Amino acid sequence: MAERVLLLTPSQSHHSPTTMAVLGGAASARIIPSVSLSTSSRSFFSLSSSSKLKCLRSSPRISHLFLNQQRAEVRVSSGGYGTVSAPKSVASDPDQLKSAREDIKELLNSKFCHPILIRLGWHDAGTYNKNIEEWPLRGGANGSLRFEVELKHGANAGLLNALKLLQPIKDKYSGVTYADLFQLASATAVEEAGGPKIPMKYGRVDVSGPEQCPEEGRLPDAGPPSPADHLRQVFYRMGLNDKEIVALSGAHTLGRSRPDRSGWGKPETKYTKDGPGAPGGQSWTVQWLKFDNSYFKDIKEKRDEDLLVLPTDAALFEDPSFKVYAEKYAEDQEAFFKDYAEAHAKLSNLGAKFDPLEGIVIDDSPNAGGEKFVAAKYSIGKSELSDSMKQKIRAEYEAIGGSPDKPLQSNYFLNIMIIIAVLAFLTSLLGN
């Protein structure tokens, strides 16, 4: 018989101060501690951890974090977790996307959660496998990271906090898919931190259930035996190249690593002990909420022991191919911004299924990912010229010195008009 999951506040449980969720039942009960909310992040493509993320799937305020846009009931039985999947989601509404972006900006200004929102978008998209064609088996930006089975992956430790931050916005704008919301939040966080404008498009379709989540192991680790080879193995699988690997790594200019989640970094430093946001952790840069090229500068100099350098960070200046781009970005922030914006947009689209196929552009800038205007497409009564008509036109055109493959050296008709005008002027003078 299925049992409902109940949530107890600290005052209701002697296990204070940690919030506990009790799986009720006559025979037995199981305790699941909640995850404390911290708006700071560690590595975007993430520092794997062996810690298991426990989910609060009971309370009406919490359980919908792991479900589709429509609520679905979560039950616990002797066989484990089971979910009654919600109806399949549809494309996002452009007006709601714009409004959601404004709410995300307010959230960033009050919670300083730029790093963890970037990480959320990256981890949802970063499971893409270019060698698998079928959606959603190929992974990618499809909103699957909202389900418990994927949140429990070691690389995703702490991302429940990001879901908690975005869920009120999702509830407010039901016409925005989770897949779009994750990528919208990620791009907006980069831009609001002073980074480049990301040429984004939307319309991503959500997966409908946890059985469509990718297997664990598709995201990068921070300390593999061969860091450069590991980065290539993971990012090449996504269809990205060396330049894009280095450019995306530059997003570590934002955020912190927390040893209790990843096993990397210091508990706190002079740059993180006072926040903003929850204090603690070790940052890659001094101003870890400002998006610039200081990540590359600091790794190159290696002068400050309070700044984090992971094995995968150091590899950018040790591997000959990576080093070309890392050196360039350390000297030229404009070049870094340009390459980062392109790489981020590419990453955000990986594996996604768009409705409509061309996607939805919500920015007012011209040709921001939209379809180019082709006049012939909108002409009336279009018909193919007959072969005889083509030959006739060709003959007439060649008679005045032109050809279909070569334009006239001068404007023949304009020259005729000039000659006529000159003759008329001379005639007028002679008449007078």
Side-chain angles (χ1 to χ4, degrees), residues 71-302:
R71 290 182 183 270
E73 188 174 5
V74 177
R75 295 180 179 273
V76 177
S77 65
S78 59
Y81 290 101
T83 306
V84 181
S85 297
K88 184 178 179 180
S89 59
V90 294
S92 296
D93 177 81
D95 291 334
Q96 290 197 24
L97 281 165
K98 293 179 181 179
S99 298
R101 181 167 58 183
E102 296 307 309
D103 285 12
I104 290 170
K105 290 179 181 179
E106 294 180 7
L107 177 67
L108 292 166
N109 290 332
S110 63
K111 298 294 185 180
F112 309 105
C113 53
H114 306 67
I116 200 170
L117 294 187
I118 297 172
R119 183 172 162 238
L120 179 69
W122 281 34
H123 281 216
D124 194 47
T127 59
Y128 174 64
N129 187 340
K130 68 177 183 179
N131 300 312
I132 302 175
E133 294 185 4
E134 184 180 353
W135 185 92
L137 294 179
R138 63 194 183 207
N142 56 30
S144 63
L145 190 47
R146 73 190 188 274
F147 291 107
E148 179 195 20
V149 64
E150 190 168 345
L151 281 168
K152 289 172 67 177
H153 294 177
N156 294 329
L159 286 180
L160 174 60
N161 297 330
L163 284 171
K164 286 181 177 179
L165 290 168
L166 290 180
Q167 190 59 45
I169 298 176
K170 181 68 181 73
D171 292 341
K172 183 177 179 181
Y173 302 106
S174 60
V176 176
T177 63
Y178 277 98
D180 271 350
L181 182 62
F182 294 167
Q183 300 309 322
L184 175 65
S186 182
T188 304
V190 170
E191 295 165 8
E192 290 298 296
K197 180 70 176 178
I198 312 296
M200 298 290 291
K201 68 175 183 178
Y202 300 94
R204 296 169 187 81
V205 176
D206 280 339
V207 296
S208 58
E211 70 281 357
Q212 296 175 311
C213 292
E215 73 280 4
E216 187 168 7
R218 294 194 184 186
L219 296 173
D221 195 0
S226 301
D229 291 342
H230 175 71
L231 287 174
R232 288 192 174 95
Q233 180 183 6
V234 173
F235 283 88
Y236 283 11
R237 187 208 68 223
M238 300 181 207
L240 301 175
N241 58 34
D242 285 0
K243 181 177 76 171
E244 291 160 338
I245 292 172
V246 179
L248 289 171
S249 297
H252 281 156
T253 191
L254 301 177
R256 301 168 282 179
S257 173
R258 296 182 179 274
D260 56 328
R261 297 181 186 174
S262 66
W264 295 92
K266 298 178 180 180
E268 71 174 25
T269 69
K270 59 188 175 186
Y271 304 120
T272 65
K273 64 180 181 179
D274 298 322
Q282 185 176 12
S283 60
W284 284 263
T285 62
V286 175
Q287 293 181 289
W288 47 269
L289 284 177
K290 179 182 179 182
F291 197 101
D292 56 21
N293 67 336
S294 59
Y295 166 79
F296 297 104
K297 293 180 178 180
D298 292 336
I299 293 177
K300 184 177 180 179
E301 295 175 358
K302 297 181 180 179

Side-chain angles (χ1 to χ4, degrees), residues 28 67 91 106 163 221 276 327 352 359 406:
S28 62
L67 307 178
E106 294 180 7
L163 284 171
D221 195 0
E327 292 275 7
K406 181 180 68 174

